């Protein structure tokens, strides 16, 4: 093999930079259709591994301008054999994604949102393969982390590079689509951990209550205020950061809204969702920049690599925020729910501390796309 494998980080940076990328995904058709690597300038084709030997000419014909072929499989094992098959057929400039879709799902790419006027920085961590977004506020050697995923070493190493100590960790709600790293990160960092008590369905560990009006100060300069925003869950809480940003968790996204059904209570929680979106958020400054907990499509990523938009503009652009009639909104939400996230009940139990799966099982539980939006 003449080329080195490409890492998930290298591939993510190419896609975020809008480079042309040609992917050959050799997983099964159903797996590919359910979840694949996307990007503005990504060309992707699916030929299952068992068919590849008979389809090498098709690959060469479909390759644009002799671009590098990146072969993708589930874990980066079959793809190595796929590279050999292509090279034996006389096709060059071929390599594979190291670690496959598993590595893609776990990669976090930190992107700077901006600087604060009184000093400090705000970073967004894109889990590009899963659509999860988490955040770090840094000021005067202290760091606040919001909605961390289970790959907690990324946050610890990033804070260390920034010469900051993680002092506070917040989960905005009980997550159902991915395993939270909140409690573990707080424990390892000796930080205060906050969680909305209304989402406590039997947590097996201690936490500080995240409630409407709870306030944090990062580095004695950046103020963060909690704002109860139920609907996705009954305890869902947004964070207003330095009166510039609102971190909306899974309640409001750039092109959609959070789903209210992951605890099996859609009919109960859809009224809360309506009230949050059409009343509570409208009481906030419409100049606030919305920083959501997820993104769905790659077009939600801005040219600077961030996922953010002004709250007022979302009320003009997001179709889910333009259904003023309550009953019509309820029907829209409950009639358009996508398939539920893989293993969402097991993930909820894990996030409550009731289930303690091994690392391989945790990875398997999180396989698949983000499905938190309506």
């Amino acid at each position: 093999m003449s080329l080195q494998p490409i890492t998930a980080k290298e591939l993510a940076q190419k896609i975020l930079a809008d480079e042309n990328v040609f992917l050959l995904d050799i997983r099964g058709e159903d797996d590919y259709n359910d979840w694949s690597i996307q990007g503005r300038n990504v060309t992707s084709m699916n030929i299952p591994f068992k068919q590849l030997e008979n389809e090498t000419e098709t690959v060469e014909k479909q390759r644009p301008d002799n671009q590098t072929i990146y072969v993708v499989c589930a874990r980066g094992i079959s793809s190595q054999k796929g590279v050999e098959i292509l090279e034996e057929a006389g096709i060059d400039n071929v390599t594979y994604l190291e670690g496959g879709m598993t590595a893609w799902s776990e990669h976090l790419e930190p992107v700077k949102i901006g600087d604060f006027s009184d000093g400090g920085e705000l970073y967004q961590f894109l889990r590009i393969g899963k659509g999860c977004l988490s955040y770090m506020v840094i000021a005067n050697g202290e760091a606040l982390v919001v909605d961390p995923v289970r790959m907690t070493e990324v946050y610890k190493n990033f804070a260390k590079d920034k010469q900051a100590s993680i002092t506070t960790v917040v989960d905005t709600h009980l997550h159902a689509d991915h395993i939270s790293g909140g409690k573990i990160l707080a424990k390892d960092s000796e930080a205060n951990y906050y969680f909305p008590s209304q989402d406590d369905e039997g947590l097996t560990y201690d936490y500080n209550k995240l409630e409407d009006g709870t306030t944090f100060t990062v580095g004695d300069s950046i103020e963060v205020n909690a704002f109860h925003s139920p609907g996705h869950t009954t305890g869902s809480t947004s964070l207003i950061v330095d009166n510039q940003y609102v971190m909306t968790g899974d309640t409001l996204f750039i092109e959609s809204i959070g789903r209210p059904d992951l605890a099996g209570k859609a009919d109960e929680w859809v009224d809360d969702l309506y009230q949050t979106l059409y009343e509570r958020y409208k009481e906030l400054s419409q100049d606030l920049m919305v920083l959501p907990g997820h993104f769905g499509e790659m077009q939600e990523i801005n040219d600077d690599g961030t996922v953010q938009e002004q709250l007022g503009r979302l009320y003009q652009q997001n179709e889910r925020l333009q259904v003023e009639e309550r009953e019509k909104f309820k029907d829209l939400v409950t009639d358009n729910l996508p398939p539920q996230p893989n293993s969402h009940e097991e993930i909820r139990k894990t996030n409550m501390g009731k289930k303690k799966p091994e690392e391989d099982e945790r990875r398997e539980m999180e396989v698949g796309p983000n499905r938190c939006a309506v």
Side-chain angles (χ1 to χ4, degrees):
M1 186 179 299
S2 56
L3 297 179
Q4 291 296 311
I6 190 170
T7 65
K9 181 176 183 63
E10 291 167 338
L11 181 58
Q13 290 177 341
K14 283 180 177 291
I15 291 175
L16 289 173
D18 285 336
E19 294 185 25
N20 293 321
V21 172
F22 179 62
L23 302 174
L24 171 62
D25 195 317
I26 60 172
R27 293 175 299 148
E29 184 177 357
D30 289 344
D31 291 335
Y32 175 78
N33 289 335
D34 184 53
W35 180 44
S36 62
I37 298 173
Q38 305 292 324
R40 291 188 186 93
N41 291 318
V42 170
T43 302
S44 176
M45 66 182 303
N46 173 228
I47 299 178
F49 177 72
K50 291 181 179 180
Q51 302 174 25
L52 185 58
E53 279 190 313
N54 298 321
E55 296 283 350
T56 55
E57 288 187 10
T58 303
V59 176
E60 184 65 5
K61 288 178 181 178
Q62 293 291 324
R63 171 169 42 177
D65 302 324
N66 200 37
Q67 289 180 24
T68 300
I69 299 172
Y70 299 110
V71 184
V72 178
C73 68
R75 293 179 176 266
I77 299 172
S78 299
S79 55
Q80 297 179 53
K81 178 61 177 175
V83 171
E84 293 177 7
I85 291 172
L86 293 175
E87 289 183 335
E88 288 171 1
I91 299 174
D92 60 4
N93 204 15
V94 183
T95 187
Y96 67 97
L97 173 61
E98 189 173 46
M101 292 299 289
T102 298
W104 183 247
S105 170
E106 294 181 346
H107 175 67
L108 295 178
E109 187 67 27
V111 181
K112 189 173 184 178
I113 293 288
D115 296 308
F116 296 108
S117 57
D118 291 335
E121 304 167 305
L122 174 58
Y123 290 88
Q124 184 178 66
F125 291 76
L126 282 79
R127 189 176 177 185
I128 190 170
K130 187 73 177 167
C132 301
L133 298 168
S134 49
Y135 298 91
M136 185 180 292
V137 177
I138 302 173
N140 297 324
E142 294 183 359
L144 160 72
V145 181
V146 179
D147 287 335
V149 297
R150 62 181 171 82
M151 287 71 74
T152 56
E153 290 298 318
V154 175
Y155 307 102
K156 290 188 283 188
N157 292 336
F158 191 84
K160 183 178 179 181
D161 289 343
K162 294 294 180 179
Q163 298 181 317
S165 299
I166 297 173
T167 56
T168 306
V169 179
V170 177
D171 270 321
T172 59
H173 62 286
L174 178 63
H175 300 281
D177 70 306
H178 69 274
I179 297 171
S180 168
K183 185 60 179 177
I184 292 174
L185 179 61
K187 181 180 178 181
D188 290 348
S189 305
E190 298 182 352
N192 294 312
Y193 176 65
Y194 285 82
F195 180 88
S197 57
Q198 288 171 285
D199 275 0
D200 186 346
E201 300 177 11
L203 266 65
T204 61
Y205 49 80
D206 296 330
Y207 60 89
N208 298 296
K209 291 182 179 181
L210 181 69
E211 299 176 320
D212 197 63
T214 300
T215 299
F216 316 101
T217 303
V218 184
D220 295 324
S221 62
I222 307 302
E223 188 170 287
V224 180
N225 298 290
F227 182 83
H228 188 216
S229 49
H232 176 64
T233 68
T234 190
S236 287
T237 301
S238 301
L239 299 177
I240 300 173
V241 182
D242 199 41
N243 290 318
Q244 296 184 61
Y245 304 94
V246 55
M247 298 177 180
T248 55
D250 287 3
T251 301
L252 174 61
F253 307 127
I254 302 303
E255 294 190 352
S256 191
I257 57 177
R259 58 191 297 170
D261 67 308
L262 293 184
K265 300 178 181 179
D267 291 335
E268 296 176 47
W269 289 357
V270 69
D271 280 321
D272 288 337
L273 185 63
Y274 179 89
Q275 186 173 9
T276 292
L277 296 175
Y278 285 88
E279 297 176 19
R280 289 185 61 77
Y281 277 158
K282 284 193 172 181
E283 295 172 357
L284 300 175
S285 167
Q286 299 300 288
D287 292 332
L288 289 170
M289 294 299 294
V290 171
L291 300 175
H294 284 92
F295 66 95
E297 304 295 335
M298 290 297 293
Q299 61 260 30
E300 294 179 51
I301 300 178
N302 298 319
D303 291 341
D304 63 359
T306 67
V307 180
Q308 60 176 323
E309 184 54 274
Q310 192 178 61
L311 181 59
R313 280 199 282 270
L314 289 188
Y315 277 103
Q316 298 171 359
Q317 300 170 3
N318 187 326
E319 293 181 0
R320 302 293 189 263
L321 297 180
Q322 297 172 23
V323 189
E324 294 280 355
E325 187 179 328
R326 186 184 291 263
E327 290 303 316
K328 187 175 180 181
F329 174 83
K330 290 170 64 174
D331 291 342
L332 171 74
V333 170
T334 55
D335 292 347
N336 289 279
L337 293 169
Q340 295 190 328
N342 294 345
S343 307
H344 72 282
E345 282 297 338
E346 298 304 302
I347 289 173
R348 283 164 50 84
K349 290 177 183 176
T350 301
N351 287 336
M352 286 187 272
K354 294 181 176 180
K355 180 179 174 66
K356 301 183 186 300
E358 297 295 327
E359 185 61 23
D360 282 349
E361 187 179 354
R362 289 172 184 260
R363 284 183 171 138
E364 190 63 28
M365 286 162 62
E366 291 192 327
V367 166
N370 159 41
R371 289 181 174 138
C372 275
V374 174

